[in-house]
Amino acid sequence: MQKEDNLKDIISHAKEYGFVFPSSEIYDGLSATYDYGQLGVELKNNIKSYWWKSMVQMNENIVGLDSAIFMHPTTWKASGHIDAFNDPLIDNKDSKKRYRADVLLEEHIEKYRAKIDKDVNKGIKRFGDDFDKDQFLATNPNVLRNKAKIEDVEQRMKDTLGKDDLEGVYNLIMDLGIVCPISGTKNWTEVRQFNLMFSTELGSVSGEAAKIYLRPETAQGIFVNFLNVQKTGRMKIPFGIAQIGKAFRNEIVARQFIFRMREFEQMEMQFFVRPGEEMKWYEYWKKQRIAWHNKLGLGEENYRFHDHIKLAHYANAAADIEFNFPMGFKELEGVHSRTDFDLKQHEEHSGKKLQFFDPEMNKNYVPYVVETSIGLDRMFLAILSSSFKTETLENDTERVVLSLPPALAPYKVAVMPLTKKDGLPEKAREIVNELKFDHNCAYDEKDSPGKRYRRQDAIGTPYCVMIDHQTMEDNTVTIRDRDTMEQERVSIDELTSIIGAKVSMTNLLR
Ligand code: ATP
């Protein structure tokens, strides 16, 4: 199946089963805004819980925060967002479509990467087990040519984007012959900067003084509360503050489903460290974060690190964790060494000291910060897209299955009476009433067992429990595993522990 088709199928599956709906759909929707339905909200909450527990519950020196979306407008002056939270945009005059200039360039680089991958695959096909990938990558003339092209474009991106040389960015796009994917022409406008923050007005006062912003990142709420948390929580460096919450960006191009939205949710953790120790912690958090992802079992080959070419104004090192989405490898999470930029800026603009007295060093300093920042919606898409499978079964029928990590599945178990009579529904309800203390349970008595199993496969329920006539005699049920489709007869008394063992979040956290 084509990857882009796959995205279409995922979008319709997500809608059909109540994971994600277009926002205000009865009015034909609002672009790049989505609502999470009855199953979507469960999956989303479970992702949040996995992240929160792994940060706050598992680390003595990390605590949480829930700061307001609105902040004093000076916050954004201090953070640099008013002056520099821009994306370079470019319009194609023929298609009238707008693009991010840096994204056009990144996509151009991807084409060279795809050529390298193609050559590697050809080599594998031709030489089989004898194929030495490392040697091929180091010596093949085609590969070397494409590698050189990548390096050249990356260098020129650094020289232009990195220095806000918009004319240089335009020239680079023209030199590379990049065309608009819609019109196929190079009839581009000049490159301009576009500020991504949404603004609104406070109360009844009008004019500049009342202008406030919807936060474009949750991080600043953490920085302005640095001392509040440090003092009241008696935190000692190194320590972290974690926060999950909405962020808003007036994205130039918002497409690809929930990958790029104008209202989205972030899970961010700012880790405060001694100046000079930030690189050690930067490496530490890169390792921790990739381990968090790998525990989910979505496939280690679906992740890769990508070092930033253009460092943000506040960073001295930054890497993205990219995921193999249906649209290809794209940013899922960022790990950034933000230096002491933010705290220093807030000191300067507020006139308040934001420092830590380090008893071991016997001195005050402004801590350095290493940040991990992941988009909750992008994580949702990563999980949904890599779990969505169509399988052909032994009898040549097909099933659609969401092989969600069990701990994240909306329902952990579906309880079903084989028939609607002979007291089976009552027995099934009795079982639900017991299991629901520990697990989110579905109850389903409609249609044939096969159809009911398919419905649960399609929403990723790890277990189905069937109550039949034998249950009434010996207090046993069959329990069916979503992935193997195998059924086992077990005693009702064992259900809680069997299900618990597989779906427990502890499996992910340990
Ligand atoms: P991109 O380059 O894709 O615009 P970014 O580098 O601007 O992303 P960050 O500022 O590092 O993103 O934000 C941290 C995380 O927030 C990203 O890794 C991503 O998962 C998420 N995120 C950022 N913008 C959006 C958006 N418009 N919609 C959904 N998630 C987003």
Side-chain angles (χ1 to χ4, degrees):
M1 196 188 306
Q2 283 292 312
K3 284 202 112 192
E4 294 289 338
D5 287 347
N6 195 13
L7 181 62
K8 279 189 203 143
D9 288 345
I10 289 163
I11 295 171
S12 58
H13 190 84
K15 187 171 169 210
E16 185 181 345
Y17 287 94
F19 283 90
V20 183
F21 305 124
S23 162
S24 23
E25 198 191 1
I26 57 167
Y27 296 105
D28 296 332
L30 177 69
S31 97
T33 319
Y34 291 90
D35 298 337
Y36 287 83
Q38 68 278 12
L39 296 185
V41 66
E42 297 290 344
L43 175 55
K44 208 175 173 198
N45 282 341
N46 291 339
I47 300 171
K48 284 192 214 180
S49 166
Y50 174 39
W51 185 87
W52 190 264
K53 285 185 177 178
S54 81
M55 286 291 177
V56 177
Q57 187 171 318
M58 301 302 290
N59 291 290
E60 249 176 63
N61 61 349
I62 298 182
V63 291
L65 179 76
D66 184 13
S67 70
I69 286 171
F70 291 142
M71 299 183 70
H72 192 283
T74 308
T75 309
W76 306 111
K77 185 75 195 153
S79 67
H81 282 83
I82 288 178
D83 297 321
F85 193 54
N86 303 318
D87 273 343
L89 72 82
I90 188 165
D91 294 291
N92 184 271
K93 291 182 199 161
D94 297 320
S95 67
K96 309 264 181 287
K97 286 277 171 200
R98 181 161 281 184
Y99 298 91
R100 257 173 68 180
D102 57 327
V103 171
L104 283 180
L105 291 166
E106 293 280 359
E107 283 173 358
H108 190 78
I109 291 179
E110 268 316 302
K111 286 192 184 145
Y112 297 133
R113 288 217 176 91
K115 281 186 188 160
I116 297 178
D117 288 347
K118 208 170 156 192
D119 283 334
V120 168
N121 286 335
K122 265 196 213 156
I124 294 174
K125 256 196 200 137
R126 199 157 144 214
F127 298 110
D129 288 346
D130 294 335
F131 181 69
D132 182 340
K133 187 174 167 188
D134 292 338
Q135 196 197 348
F136 183 81
L137 287 175
T139 55
N140 179 276
N142 277 345
V143 171
L144 294 181
R145 208 173 311 119
N146 283 315
K147 269 192 185 167
K149 283 184 186 164
I150 293 175
E151 274 166 28
D152 179 53
V153 180
E154 286 187 341
Q155 186 57 45
R156 287 185 66 187
M157 283 175 73
K158 219 181 208 166
D159 295 341
T160 53
L161 280 167
K163 296 184 181 124
D164 287 331
D165 169 11
L166 298 181
E167 202 182 322
V169 177
Y170 173 83
N171 290 338
L172 181 55
I173 288 175
M174 293 306 272
D175 290 352
L176 294 172
I178 295 178
V179 297
C180 164
I182 309 283
S183 68
T185 71
K186 288 185 272 188
N187 195 6
W188 296 111
T189 61
E190 59 185 1
V191 179
R192 281 163 296 150
Q193 293 288 25
F194 177 77
N195 193 286
L196 299 181
M197 278 200 297
F198 281 103
S199 63
T200 184
E201 273 168 24
L202 197 62
S204 56
V205 201
S206 66
E208 266 312 295
K211 190 170 177 182
I212 55 165
Y213 298 92
L214 298 188
R215 67 179 177 199
E217 62 177 25
T218 61
Q220 297 305 324
I222 296 180
F223 295 130
V224 300
N225 279 296
F226 161 71
L227 263 198
N228 282 340
V229 174
Q230 189 273 320
K231 287 211 175 330
T232 57
R234 293 182 301 124
M235 307 304 290
K236 296 211 166 34
I237 285 212
F239 76 91
I241 304 179
Q243 164 154 250
I244 299 177
K246 289 263 179 164
F248 303 82
R249 294 183 189 180
N250 199 359
E251 298 280 1
I252 295 168
V253 189
R255 39 176 109 103
Q256 294 168 329
F257 194 34
I258 53 175
F259 179 82
R260 188 175 300 287
M261 299 195 287
R262 298 203 167 93
E263 171 182 345
F264 58 99
E265 230 167 317
Q266 290 185 315
M267 306 191 284
E268 296 198 300
M269 193 279 297
Q270 309 295 325
F271 199 69
F272 300 91
V273 305
R274 274 187 189 160
E277 291 191 355
E278 70 274 15
M279 281 307 148
K280 177 180 91 184
W281 288 111
Y282 171 67
E283 292 305 330
Y284 172 86
W285 280 108
K286 273 169 67 176
K287 274 207 197 97
Q288 290 292 313
R289 293 306 303 147
I290 198 72
W292 182 89
H293 286 284
N294 286 337
K295 275 275 180 178
L296 287 171
L298 307 182
E300 297 190 10
E301 68 287 358
N302 285 325
Y303 293 90
R304 73 179 186 200
F305 276 107
H306 173 76
D307 290 325
H308 281 206
I309 297 173
K310 181 192 174 204
L311 285 179
H313 55 275
Y314 50 76
N316 68 356
D320 293 336
I321 297 176
E322 294 186 336
F323 187 79
N324 192 8
F325 287 102
M327 316 76 79
F329 275 96
K330 302 256 180 221
E331 173 175 346
L332 166 62
E333 168 158 13
V335 182
H336 309 131
S337 171
R338 290 182 82 125
T339 68
D340 55 358
F341 176 86
D342 300 271
L343 289 179
K344 275 220 168 114
Q345 285 290 107
H346 288 305
E347 276 199 329
E348 201 176 292
H349 284 78
S350 67
K352 310 263 162 42
K353 276 211 178 319
L354 295 176
Q355 301 191 355
F356 173 75
F357 176 75
D358 193 323
E360 279 170 35
M361 294 171 78
N362 197 26
K363 70 172 199 185
N364 281 305
Y365 54 77
V366 178
Y368 270 50
V369 172
V370 174
E371 156 186 86
T372 73
S373 172
I374 175 169
L376 175 55
D377 312 270
R378 285 192 192 176
M379 192 62 210
F380 187 103
L381 181 59
I383 292 170
L384 195 66
S385 60
S386 56
S387 302
F388 179 75
K389 288 169 195 147
T390 306
E391 290 178 355
T392 307
L393 305 178
E394 275 170 12
N395 57 3
D396 271 348
T397 57
E398 280 197 339
R399 74 160 180 162
V400 172
V401 59
L402 274 190
S403 55
L404 298 172
L408 304 186
Y411 289 118
K412 305 300 188 234
V413 54
V415 181
M416 313 169 169
L418 183 63
T419 64
K420 280 192 230 172
K421 47 185 204 283
D422 305 330
L424 301 188
E426 291 75 13
K427 187 73 187 167
R429 291 273 182 211
E430 225 175 78
I431 293 174
V432 169
N433 284 338
E434 199 46 45
L435 289 178
K436 73 183 179 190
F437 288 102
D438 294 300
H439 306 295
N440 221 359
C441 306
Y443 174 83
D444 194 357
E445 60 176 26
K446 197 165 174 291
D447 299 321
S448 68
K451 266 196 183 160
R452 284 184 265 171
Y453 286 149
R454 290 291 165 276
R455 267 203 295 271
Q456 296 304 323
D457 288 344
I459 62 173
T461 309
Y463 283 120
C464 290
V465 168
M466 186 65 79
I467 286 80
D468 55 17
H469 291 93
Q470 190 179 330
T471 310
M472 310 306 272
E473 285 160 23
D474 64 5
N475 217 36
T476 63
V477 290
T478 61
I479 179 162
R480 172 189 180 269
D481 183 291
R482 174 195 69 196
D483 301 323
T484 63
M485 292 188 285
E486 269 165 24
Q487 298 182 30
E488 202 188 339
R489 192 160 268 285
V490 301
S491 156
I492 290 176
D493 305 332
E494 291 173 284
L495 276 181
T496 304
S497 68
I498 293 176
I499 297 165
K502 179 151 172 177
V503 307
S504 163
M505 189 80 74
T506 311
N507 298 333
L508 296 178
L509 295 170
R510 200 178 287 285

